[in-house]
């Protein structure tokens, strides 16, 4: 199992989403923002980890993985960061070589905190493969 390649275009769309200024992105990269205004937020950039500087209430993240090995069935487990409840779906899936699986991760604040806390999502394959997705949340603000 591996995370799909995050390409150059994904990073340009990410930069355009941070600043929104085509000229600034062009000055630093030599490339223009997409004409269709397609941007990628930091939450949606398909990195092999989840990092949140400020989690307020609830946030849903999606991570997609591609199977580069043989057919396998994975069980999904997790350990949430302190002050956060976590739900991952699906909790089990079978995936053939070359297929992609999307995980939906819901993080919800349970306790206010301004200190970093760490958790992880573990994918445990029936042929022995293990994939770990680190989860970091710094500031947590519970909804009133």
């Amino acid at each position: 199992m591996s995370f799909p390649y995050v390409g150059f275009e994904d990073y340009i769309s990410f930069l355009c989403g941070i600043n929104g200024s085509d000229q600034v992105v062009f000055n630093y990269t030599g490339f223009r923002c997409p004409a269709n205004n397609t941007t990628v937020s930091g939450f949606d950039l398909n990195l092999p980890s989840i990092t949140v500087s400020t989690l307020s209430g609830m946030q849903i993240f999606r991570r997609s993985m591609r199977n580069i090995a043989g057919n396998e069935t994975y069980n999904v487990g997790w350990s949430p960061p302190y002050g956060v409840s976590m739900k991952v779906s699906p909790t089990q899936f079978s995936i053939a070589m070359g297929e992609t699986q999307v995980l939906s991760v819901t993080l919800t604040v349970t306790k206010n905190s301004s200190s970093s806390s760490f958790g992880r999502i573990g994918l445990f394959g029936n042929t022995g493969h293990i994939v770990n997705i680190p989860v970091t949340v710094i500031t947590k603000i519970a909804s009133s």
Side-chain angles (χ1 to χ4, degrees):
M1 178 88 53
S2 75
F3 284 86
Y5 175 74
V6 179
F8 179 77
E9 295 82 15
D10 298 314
Y11 284 109
I12 291 293
S13 293
F14 170 68
L15 291 173
C16 291
I18 290 173
N19 184 303
S21 170
D22 180 60
Q23 191 60 45
V24 171
V25 172
F26 180 76
N27 288 345
Y28 282 101
T29 67
F31 290 88
R32 297 275 179 202
C33 291
N36 59 3
N37 268 347
T38 303
T39 60
V40 175
S41 75
F43 292 133
D44 295 328
L45 194 57
N46 195 40
L47 299 174
S49 63
I50 296 173
T51 301
V52 186
S53 60
T54 303
L55 179 63
S56 181
M58 190 231 0
Q59 179 72 42
I60 298 173
F61 303 84
R62 287 182 179 69
R63 292 295 184 266
S64 34
M65 289 136 266
R66 181 174 324 188
N67 187 358
I68 59 172
N71 298 353
E72 195 157 8
T73 298
Y74 284 88
N75 287 306
V76 181
W78 57 88
S79 175
Y82 171 80
V84 176
S85 71
M86 183 177 348
K87 179 182 176 193
V88 182
S89 178
T91 57
Q92 184 181 52
F93 60 91
S94 294
I95 187 167
M97 184 171 146
E99 287 185 344
T100 299
Q101 175 67 47
V102 176
L103 292 178
S104 178
V105 180
T106 304
L107 300 178
T108 306
V109 177
T110 59
K111 296 180 181 172
N112 291 331
S113 175
S114 60
S115 61
S116 299
S117 55
F118 307 92
R120 75 175 184 94
I121 300 166
L123 287 72
F124 306 95
N126 67 329
T127 65
H129 294 110
I130 298 173
V131 178
N132 285 297
I133 303 170
V135 179
T136 306
V137 180
I138 300 171
T139 302
K140 295 156 279 295
I141 305 168
S143 298
S144 303

